[in-house]
Amino acid sequence: MKKIKLTHLITGLNTGGAEMMLYRLLSKTDRNKFEVSVISLTDVGPVGEKIKELDIPVIGLGMKRGVPNPIFLLKLASIFKKEKPDVLQTWMYHANLLGLLAGRLAGVKNIIWGIHHSNLDPKIEKRQTIAVAKWCGVLSRFSSNIICCSHASLQCHEQLGYSRDKMMVIPNGFDLGLFQPNRHSKSLLKELFLGDDCLLVGHAARWHGQKDHPNLIKAARFVVEQLPNVHFVLCGDGITHENETLSALIRQEGIEKHVHLLGRRNDIHTLMPQFDVYVSSSKAGEAFPIVLGEAMACEVPCVTTDVGDSAYIVGDTGFVVPPENPQALADAIIRCLSLSAEERKQLGKKARQRVEAHFALDLVVEKYESIYQSLLSRK
């Protein structure tokens, strides 16, 4: 049987939710059915290197971030003409826009968009990003399908004028073999020189306004005042002591000894099971925080702000609070940590069961592949 030529086009391949979801999707894509390649509008980045390890070709076009450049439109069209993909799957606004225009120029018939934002907050998002998102709304009827990673994404973009009959929701998926509980590891406590009686609150997110680190740091002070054996472990791009703004926030709250900044980590799957609680402190614009599902798969109970699909993801297995309310966030963390170890364990088990039922990676990959195949069978 002839393989389906599938090309993924993404804005960039630095560490982020959409980028990691692409990597996970590719790690499970049936290579007997699909011949896969990846193009990044910007550079190859750390996630691109991981994709290469899957023996999948990755091209970085070197486009500068900002307004899409017409030269890259022609460059892309030239690549598509040469490669002749049966299906082009694009990820995020700039790739959606340029992928559609270049794909149509090159005669690509099946172009599927991927949306990984919910509402676009002008205080957080760049003006160019918002402009590109709105242009995509105008052009959305020319796409074949639009896959939203969350119900919040779908509702928001329908209001922006995106073609509703093209839109569907496929949630992010989680590798339950990689993310699993490990109650015996103490490597993180040892790395941080902390005693076994310390409780760890985890937070994994890059330095970005949407992730609302100031909210988390303020909440951390309230927590530490009541539970002095609690330590907050933060990781992600830009989450280092060299980040003067973040370091100043921590000093301002007087909790330097209780907040640990680890920077980018490639071992999240080993860190995550060691947290007693995982917290997501995001505000508007978050669609589907992947880290919530990762924590839940590791049987770690979650405290999250009510943004995007966060409340839906957690369901009745954790605690949901309003965004930008550090006192409410702190109260929920304290409430969760005040449960007995056995109660937290049971809550964690329930969380993993929810991921198994709704967000298992194999189920999600199956949905993507069936869309690709149905497009071709319709033709």
Side-chain angles (χ1 to χ4, degrees):
M1 190 176 91
K2 185 173 175 283
K3 288 186 186 180
I4 295 168
K5 289 190 82 171
L6 170 62
T7 298
H8 290 274
L9 175 70
I10 190 164
T11 302
L13 284 167
N14 286 315
T15 309
E19 295 86 347
M20 286 308 298
M21 185 56 224
L22 171 59
Y23 169 74
R24 285 177 189 153
L25 175 64
L26 292 170
S27 73
K28 296 284 187 176
T29 297
D30 187 343
R31 307 284 280 282
N32 292 317
K33 293 179 185 170
F34 296 93
E35 183 185 328
V36 190
S37 61
V38 176
I39 303 169
S40 165
L41 290 178
T42 53
D43 55 4
V44 169
V47 179
E49 295 300 337
K50 283 170 70 73
I51 292 169
K52 282 182 178 178
E53 289 169 14
L54 299 173
D55 199 24
I56 292 172
V58 181
I59 300 170
L61 294 185
M63 183 173 142
K64 297 284 183 288
R65 292 189 178 273
V67 180
N69 187 327
I71 291 171
F72 288 94
L73 177 66
L74 298 174
K75 203 172 183 179
L76 258 185
S78 170
I79 293 170
F80 293 152
K81 274 181 185 170
K82 184 181 171 190
E83 296 298 323
K84 295 184 173 58
D86 298 306
V87 178
L88 172 63
Q89 165 81 65
T90 62
W91 298 70
M92 302 188 288
Y93 298 127
H94 289 79
N96 292 343
L97 178 60
L98 283 181
L100 180 70
L101 298 175
R104 292 302 182 218
L105 271 175
V108 179
K109 292 184 173 63
N110 303 300
I111 302 174
I112 303 171
W113 282 1
I115 294 179
H116 295 265
H117 269 74
S118 59
N119 59 317
L120 292 156
D121 187 342
K123 292 182 208 154
I124 299 172
E125 299 297 344
K126 294 173 183 168
R127 277 180 299 177
Q128 296 101 316
T129 301
I130 294 171
V132 170
K134 287 180 175 174
W135 269 110
C136 285
V138 174
L139 296 170
S140 61
R141 64 195 178 92
F142 297 107
S143 65
S144 304
N145 284 109
I146 304 169
I147 297 173
C148 301
C149 72
S150 71
H151 298 281
S153 293
L154 189 149
Q155 289 159 10
C156 166
H157 288 82
E158 185 182 1
Q159 288 165 7
L160 277 174
Y162 282 64
S163 183
R164 177 63 186 88
D165 62 331
K166 301 284 178 79
M167 297 169 84
M168 66 188 73
V169 175
I170 300 181
N172 290 323
F174 304 95
D175 186 338
L176 292 160
L178 183 64
F179 288 92
Q180 53 184 319
N182 180 359
R183 300 188 189 284
H184 307 295
S185 178
K186 302 286 183 186
S187 65
L188 190 51
L189 286 170
K190 286 177 186 170
E191 180 183 333
L192 302 174
F193 301 102
L194 297 174
D196 287 356
D197 61 332
C198 291
L199 295 169
L200 300 181
V201 177
H203 185 272
R206 73 191 191 281
W207 178 250
H208 186 278
Q210 190 184 77
K211 307 301 178 185
D212 205 356
H213 285 86
N215 182 27
L216 176 68
I217 300 303
K218 285 174 190 165
R221 177 172 65 83
F222 296 139
V223 173
V224 168
E225 283 172 354
Q226 291 200 41
L227 301 172
N229 66 329
V230 173
H231 289 256
F232 285 76
V233 181
L234 281 59
C235 55
D237 282 338
I239 309 303
T240 65
H241 293 287
E242 285 71 45
N243 182 331
E244 281 300 326
T245 308
L246 178 56
S247 295
L249 283 170
I250 295 165
R251 284 195 302 271
Q252 190 179 311
E253 300 298 336
I255 53 172
E256 298 95 319
K257 290 181 181 175
H258 290 267
V259 180
H260 308 269
L261 307 179
L262 306 187
R264 181 198 292 164
R265 297 287 292 238
N266 295 319
D267 58 346
I268 294 293
H269 62 289
T270 62
L271 298 183
M272 198 66 90
Q274 299 181 62
F275 298 141
D276 295 285
V277 174
Y278 183 83
V279 61
S280 174
S281 57
S282 298
K283 57 184 177 182
E286 191 75 84
F288 189 115
I290 280 184
V291 280
L292 285 177
E294 291 173 347
M296 291 166 67
C298 295
E299 295 188 0
V300 176
C302 294
V303 173
T304 182
T305 49
D306 189 4
V307 294
D309 272 19
S310 297
Y312 164 69
I313 298 163
V314 169
D316 61 354
T317 73
F319 301 81
V320 180
V321 299
E324 301 183 78
N325 187 330
Q327 185 65 66
L329 189 62
D331 290 346
I333 295 168
I334 291 166
R335 208 170 132 212
C336 192
L337 289 172
S338 299
L339 297 171
S340 69
E342 183 57 31
E343 285 172 322
R344 279 203 308 276
K345 182 179 174 183
Q346 291 309 315
L347 203 55
K349 281 184 176 296
K350 200 174 171 185
R352 182 172 170 91
Q353 286 164 5
R354 181 164 175 77
V355 174
E356 288 170 346
H358 299 284
F359 311 116
L361 183 57
D362 289 341
L363 296 174
V364 169
V365 172
E366 202 176 288
K367 287 178 182 176
Y368 272 94
E369 290 187 353
S370 69
I371 287 169
Y372 303 151
Q373 289 170 315
S374 69
L375 274 175
L376 291 170
S377 62
R378 283 210 303 266
K379 299 296 175 190

